Amino acid sequence: MKNVKKYLGKLRIVKKKHYHPLIHKIHREHKISKKTLFYIKEYGPNANVPKRIIKESIKILFFASIISSVGGLALEHLKTTLVSLMPLLVLIPVLNDMIGDYGTIISSKFSTLLHTKRDNRWWIDKELKKLFLQIMVVSIFTTIFSTTLALVITSFMSEAPKMLVYKLFFITIIDVIILVSILFLIAIVSGIYIYRRNEDPSNFLIPITTSVADFANMIILSALVVMFL
Amino acid sequence: MYILDKNFKEIFLSQIVSIIGGLITGTILVAYTEKLFLIPGLLILLPGFLEMRGNISGSFTSRLSSGLFLGVIKPNKIKTKIINGNLMASFFLAIIISLTLGILAFLFNYLILKVVYVKIIFVPLIAGVIANTIEIPLALATTFYLFKRGHDPNNIMGPFITSTGDVTSIIALLVAITII
């Protein structure tokens, strides 16, 4: 017990940038999970918790802000069109949330897959194919569901012409199909790249896919609106 | 290949929760279109502002959940160094990112749309303070409540933060516009 306390004390003062074989030693000798040890090291009594969190998060948050603002610029250009297309305006936050969520799901599942599978040939992996089909089916279902609800909600304010209704379904479904495919492609390509560099894909894939998803959603949606409406 | 399994149902249900939050936000957006769209560049900052809630409060709840599961954070002790540190960091990040979004919207307005509108910098800043004063303590309380009731906050907090965060954010933006 005395030894554990001594080791844990040492672990708390290990500098972040230093490699810490202590984690492996304590894990091996005292059967304390690596996650617990990582947490103790990161947020122990001697750690400056706010500084550590801010330092680790700020860069990716700045990156996400820039990407989102560029995407927002595409929306700003469509301002006049959007005001006249109320159902689409209702759908913008819905689509953004949905696509971001799919990015998170795909990234976390693919990260786990990379850690657990021994075979590197992802293209023949049944689980990945199944996940792709599941996400695609859920996304098409939820898009039809949310577009219908958006049309119902806005019908109380003004009724949309029939042609617009068909076009709206077409645009949102195509948008979601393209985005889910892009998300899978990004998750697979960057996931394998990060994994081969011996880093944990879980730390990188979620911010990458969600930022790209938000940005791509606004660009693709704007392009589809310009083309079809 | 059978795809309608437990995994499918979980993804589908979480998406339904997320959609409801998004639809409420979208409806508020439509109801106040005239007020919101009068501000030049508001649509530039809107996606980033809505996304920020998930990025900051989502990570906050994820850190709390890990701490709770590992026993480093005690479910009955809220006033600890680690929780205070998390709260401080989340508030600080929210303010900095809100300000960044405001500056970016101002710059895009000025450089691309050729509109000079300084007030756009303060809109997300005020809205960010309002939204996070509600959202961060709410996220903290909900994570602890769920954990104490024997649930895994990781499975529930994602859609919860997305849905409540969107609604809080859009209302906070409206309040900020009214103040400015």
Side-chain angles (χ1 to χ4, degrees):
Chain A
M1 194 64 193
K2 201 181 167 187
N3 262 354
V4 186
K5 279 188 179 172
K6 195 179 94 188
Y7 282 140
L8 289 179
K10 268 188 184 176
L11 189 64
R12 282 172 180 141
I13 53 168
V14 170
K15 280 190 182 169
K16 193 175 160 39
K17 57 186 171 187
H18 288 183
Y19 173 65
H20 39 85
L22 252 181
I23 283 191
H24 305 288
K25 194 176 177 183
I26 303 172
H27 169 69
R28 208 176 51 239
E29 285 181 12
H30 301 282
K31 309 283 179 225
I32 299 174
S33 87
K34 281 186 182 170
K35 278 187 178 176
T36 309
L37 295 170
F38 173 80
Y39 210 90
I40 287 170
K41 181 183 165 294
E42 287 285 296
Y43 305 114
N46 297 328
N48 187 337
V49 179
K51 193 181 163 190
R52 185 153 282 179
I53 295 169
I54 292 164
K55 209 175 157 188
E56 285 188 4
S57 317
I58 200 100
K59 282 181 201 159
I60 192 74
L61 287 172
F62 276 142
F63 172 72
S65 305
I66 294 167
I67 294 275
S68 304
S69 300
V70 176
L73 194 62
L75 284 185
E76 185 73 24
H77 276 292
L78 288 177
K79 204 175 189 175
T80 332
T81 321
L82 284 174
V83 175
S84 58
L85 289 171
M86 283 202 277
L88 192 65
L89 199 54
V90 173
L91 280 171
I92 286 175
V94 183
L95 288 171
N96 257 9
D97 286 354
M98 238 161 59
I99 299 298
D101 290 346
Y102 294 138
T104 310
I105 296 167
I106 295 166
S107 304
S108 52
K109 299 255 180 195
F110 190 62
S111 299
T112 313
L113 211 75
L114 281 170
H115 283 302
T116 52
K117 291 281 168 176
R118 287 189 181 171
D119 194 341
N120 288 331
R121 291 172 298 168
W122 55 268
W123 56 92
I124 56 159
D125 192 278
K126 277 186 184 170
E127 269 183 60
L128 192 65
K129 280 182 190 167
K130 190 177 169 184
L131 181 67
F132 180 75
L133 283 174
Q134 284 178 326
I135 299 277
M136 208 43 114
V137 173
V138 173
S139 63
I140 293 171
F141 255 122
T142 46
T143 305
I144 294 171
F145 176 67
S146 49
T147 308
T148 312
L149 283 178
L151 284 164
V152 171
I153 293 166
T154 49
S155 69
F156 294 109
M157 301 164 196
S158 69
E159 204 162 318
K162 235 180 196 173
M163 201 55 201
L164 179 73
V165 174
Y166 295 137
K167 281 182 178 176
L168 201 64
F169 273 109
F170 176 75
I171 286 174
T172 49
I173 291 170
I174 295 292
D175 178 52
V176 164
I177 290 174
I178 296 173
L179 282 165
V180 170
S181 311
I182 292 176
L183 285 178
F184 264 92
L185 192 72
I186 292 169
I188 290 168
V189 173
S190 45
I192 291 172
Y193 173 74
I194 293 160
Y195 188 70
R196 281 186 182 158
R197 288 182 60 187
N198 290 325
E199 288 179 63
D200 184 1
S202 327
N203 296 337
F204 299 89
L205 281 189
I206 293 179
I208 292 171
T209 49
T210 49
S211 308
V212 173
D214 282 346
F215 174 70
N217 181 33
M218 281 168 281
I219 300 293
I220 292 169
L221 200 64
S222 307
L224 288 169
V225 168
V226 170
M227 280 194 307
F228 297 104
L229 289 173
Chain B
M1 192 186 292
Y2 182 70
I3 60 162
L4 304 174
D5 58 4
K6 190 180 163 233
N7 201 27
F8 180 89
K9 284 173 199 158
E10 277 179 5
I11 298 172
F12 188 75
L13 285 175
S14 68
Q15 283 313 299
I16 296 294
V17 177
S18 182
I19 283 172
I20 293 165
L23 280 171
I24 297 171
T25 314
T27 311
I28 299 172
L29 201 66
V30 167
Y32 292 93
T33 308
E34 282 177 22
K35 199 171 189 177
L36 288 166
F37 285 13
L38 264 180
I39 311 283
L42 194 86
L43 278 179
I44 299 174
L45 65 87
L46 188 69
F49 193 74
L50 294 179
E51 191 192 308
M52 179 180 74
R53 203 75 48 250
N55 286 345
I56 295 174
S57 302
S59 311
F60 171 62
T61 57
S62 168
R63 283 192 300 268
L64 287 181
S65 304
S66 302
L68 283 164
F69 278 117
L70 296 171
V72 179
I73 295 174
K74 305 284 174 218
N76 298 319
K77 265 176 101 178
I78 285 197
K79 284 180 185 170
T80 57
K81 190 189 160 196
I82 194 164
I83 295 176
N84 286 340
N86 266 281
L87 282 169
M88 272 168 62
S90 301
F91 270 112
F92 182 79
L93 284 172
I95 290 166
I96 292 293
I97 298 303
S98 300
L99 187 65
T100 308
L101 286 169
I103 293 169
L104 283 170
F106 172 79
L107 287 176
F108 281 143
N109 254 350
Y110 177 65
L111 298 172
I112 297 166
L113 306 174
K114 308 287 175 205
V115 178
V116 179
Y117 188 71
V118 184
K119 282 181 182 175
I120 193 76
I121 299 172
F122 303 103
V123 172
L125 189 62
I126 296 170
V129 171
I130 298 169
N132 283 289
T133 309
I134 300 166
E135 193 62 29
I136 293 174
L138 180 70
L140 174 74
T142 317
T143 308
F144 271 69
Y145 172 78
L146 289 169
F147 186 78
K148 281 182 192 168
R149 297 286 302 258
H151 299 289
D152 179 356
N154 285 317
N155 292 340
I156 305 164
M157 286 311 287
F160 177 82
I161 291 286
T162 321
S163 319
T164 55
D166 275 0
V167 179
T168 324
S169 301
I170 203 81
I171 294 172
L173 268 178
L174 279 168
V175 175
I177 289 168
T178 314
I179 294 170
I180 282 180

